Amino acid sequence: MADRPAEHLKLYIPGPVEVHPDVLDAQARWMYGHRMPECADLVERVEPKLQAVFQTERPVLISASSGTGLWEGASRNCVRSRVLHCVNGAFSERWAEVSALNGKQVEVLSAEPGRAIKADAVAAALAGGSFDALAIVHNETSAGVLNPLAEIARGVRALPGGDEIVILVDAVSGVSGVDILPDAWDLDVVLTSSQKAFALPPGLSFCSVSERAVARAKTVPDRGYYFDFLTLLASLEKHQTPATPAISLLWALDVQLDRILAEGLSNRFARHMRMRDRTIEWARDRDFTLRAEPGYESPTVSCIDNTYGWDIGALNRFLRTRNMILGNGYGTLKNITWRIGHMGELDVPDIDELLGALDDYLAQDGARAGA
Ligand SMILES: Cc1ncc(COP(=O)(O)O)c(C=O)c1O
C-alpha cells in the first residue's frame, strides 16, 4: 500500500470501482467536437469492441447517462403496454417503479432479496397474463444474487406466444464480469453501466438491442427523446450519438475495451469467480452467512449477513485507516448485511488484502460480539 497515494481509497464497494491509471489518463486527452471526424472515428473504433465484450452481433447503443437512464429507455421503447418485472432486491424493485412512472402497466413477480427468481415461476406468471415484455435484473447487486437467466429466457421462449415477449435485462453489475450471451440466449435488451465490472468511471451506459427490440420500438409511439432507441441507432450507424456524447469517457472506454479483450472474456469471468469463491470461503470459515441462496451467489458482489451486529460505519472507519472501503447493505438490507464488491480491476490478492484487514477487525476486543 506504500505505493498508493493517500487520496486513493481502494474501493471494495459494488460500484464505482477501481479504475486502471491508463484508463483514468485516457480521459485527459484534448477535446474534439462531436461532429468532427475524430469523434466518429472513436465511436467507429469502440463499437465492434463493445459488441465483442457484450458477446453480440447486434448493435450496442452508447448513452451518456448511468444505467438508470437505459432502464427508462428499455421500458419506454420496448414495453407496449404490460410488463412483468421480476423483483428480488432493491434495484429490480426500482426498475419496476421506473416502468410504472413511464406509464406502463406493471405486474411484479417477487422473491425475497437473496432468493433467486426461478424459470418455472417466471413462465407461470407470464402464462397468467397478456404481457408483452419481461424485465429482469441478472445480477441483483443489493443482495448479491445471480438469477438463472439462460434458463428463464428458454422458459419464456417455450411459452405459446413466447416469441413475442421482449426480454429486457439489467446486467449493470454483470457485463464483462459474468458470462451473459444476448444472442445465444435470445435476450432483447441487455443494459449495463460503465462503473461496475467494466471498471470505467461512472457516466456511460450501454445496451445491446435485438431485432425484436427494434421492431417493438417501431410500434411504440411514445418513446421519449433522449433514450429513443431508434434515433440512437440511426446515429450509431453514422458513428455518432444524437446528442453530445461524454467524449472523455469514450476515450477511457476505448482503452478499457482493449484491456478487457486482451485479458480475454473467459479469463475475466474466471477471475471474478475466483474472487467470489475466496470471499465465500473466508466468510463461511468465520461463521458468516451469505444472503444469496446457495448456488446463486453473484460472481461480482457478495452480500454478507451482519452476523456480529457490526456498526458498518465504524467498520469502514477502521478500513479507511488502511485506505480501503467496502459497501453497507442496500435498501431493506442496509446495516443487516454488508457487501464486498469484487469486480473490475481487482484480483484475489486484492481480496486477500481486504479479508486480512477484516480478520484484524475481527480480532479486536468485542468484534465478535458486535462492537
Ligand atoms: C443491478 C443494478 N441496476 C441498476 C443500477 C443503477 O445503475 P446506475 O447507478 O448506473 O444508474 C445499479 C446500481 O448500483 C445496479 O446495481
Side-chain angles (χ1 to χ4, degrees):
M1 231 165 338
D3 57 348
R4 196 176 300 149
E7 73 274 16
H8 178 202
L9 203 53
K10 195 162 173 178
L11 301 178
Y12 294 93
I13 57 174
V17 297
E18 290 295 296
V19 179
H20 193 277
D22 291 351
V23 177
L24 288 174
D25 288 350
Q27 296 175 93
R29 298 188 60 149
W30 293 109
M31 206 42 61
Y32 292 110
H34 61 294
R35 302 297 178 225
M36 287 166 59
E38 288 82 354
C39 203
D41 287 349
L42 178 58
V43 172
E44 187 174 13
R45 196 162 62 243
V46 296
E47 178 64 12
K49 294 190 276 188
L50 265 177
Q51 289 172 299
V53 170
F54 266 75
Q55 307 191 87
T56 184
E57 307 266 303
R58 296 290 310 161
V60 178
L61 305 180
I62 302 169
S63 170
S65 72
S66 74
T68 301
L70 288 180
W71 269 352
E72 193 147 86
S75 303
R76 192 80 182 246
N77 283 264
C78 295
V79 179
R80 196 183 299 122
S81 56
R82 195 148 184 260
V83 53
L84 179 70
H85 270 269
C86 301
V87 172
N88 60 339
F91 292 106
S92 39
E93 187 175 14
R94 196 180 297 160
W95 190 11
E97 196 186 334
V98 167
S99 289
L101 288 168
N102 278 280
K104 308 299 179 181
Q105 290 171 42
V106 173
E107 288 288 323
V108 168
L109 168 67
S110 60
E112 281 298 301
R115 306 296 297 176
I117 301 281
K118 304 289 167 43
D120 51 356
V122 175
L126 285 173
S130 49
F131 294 100
D132 58 76
L134 170 74
I136 183 161
V137 172
H138 187 202
N139 188 65
E140 187 29 276
T141 322
S142 65
V145 64
L146 186 75
N147 290 311
L149 185 57
E151 217 178 307
I152 290 169
R154 230 182 356 261
V156 173
R157 297 301 178 218
L159 289 169
D163 235 21
E164 301 295 308
I165 294 173
V166 173
I167 302 180
L168 310 175
V169 179
D170 168 325
V172 164
S173 52
V175 176
S176 101
V178 180
D179 202 8
I180 177 168
L181 298 169
D183 301 354
W185 299 353
D186 201 6
L187 310 171
D188 296 303
V189 174
V190 174
L191 65 94
T192 200
S193 306
S194 54
Q195 78 279 11
K196 306 280 186 186
F198 254 87
L200 283 162
L204 286 179
S205 52
F206 319 104
C207 71
S208 63
V209 282
S210 71
E211 283 177 24
R212 191 189 284 103
V214 175
R216 172 62 61 81
K218 287 179 180 163
T219 70
V220 175
D222 182 16
R223 297 186 301 277
Y225 187 84
Y226 194 66
F227 300 108
D228 181 345
F229 284 1
L230 300 186
T231 54
L232 282 162
L233 204 53
S235 285
L236 190 62
E237 278 160 16
K238 295 182 282 176
H239 315 302
Q240 291 189 350
T241 54
T244 315
I247 296 170
S248 306
L249 287 169
L250 291 180
W251 286 118
L253 172 66
D254 191 26
V255 172
Q256 180 61 354
L257 286 167
D258 286 340
R259 297 187 70 261
I260 293 172
L261 293 169
E263 179 179 11
L265 286 177
S266 54
N267 292 334
R268 199 170 170 89
F269 301 146
R271 173 165 60 79
H272 284 81
M273 291 301 267
R274 283 196 301 275
M275 291 194 285
R276 178 196 78 165
D277 291 348
R278 176 77 190 100
T279 305
I280 293 177
E281 178 195 26
W282 176 91
R284 294 210 173 121
D285 282 353
R286 284 146 189 83
D287 296 329
F288 287 108
T289 48
L290 260 75
R291 189 49 60 136
E293 181 177 346
Y296 298 92
E297 297 93 345
S298 161
T300 56
V301 52
S302 292
C303 179
I304 298 169
D305 290 321
N306 192 2
T307 309
Y308 302 119
W310 285 341
D311 171 345
I312 308 302
L315 170 62
N316 265 331
R317 280 192 293 282
F318 170 84
L319 290 174
R320 274 175 178 271
T321 64
R322 300 179 180 209
N323 289 332
M324 300 178 214
I325 189 158
L326 53 65
N328 197 338
Y330 193 87
T332 56
L333 299 180
K334 188 168 182 177
N335 295 326
I336 61 169
T337 63
W338 46 278
R339 294 174 300 159
I340 299 179
H342 32 75
M343 61 179 108
E345 291 301 317
L346 302 178
D347 203 343
V348 172
D350 303 294
I351 299 303
D352 282 337
E353 191 181 352
L354 173 70
L355 299 178
L358 288 171
D359 274 337
D360 292 344
Y361 192 73
L362 263 172
Q364 289 182 339
D365 279 352
R368 282 184 191 262

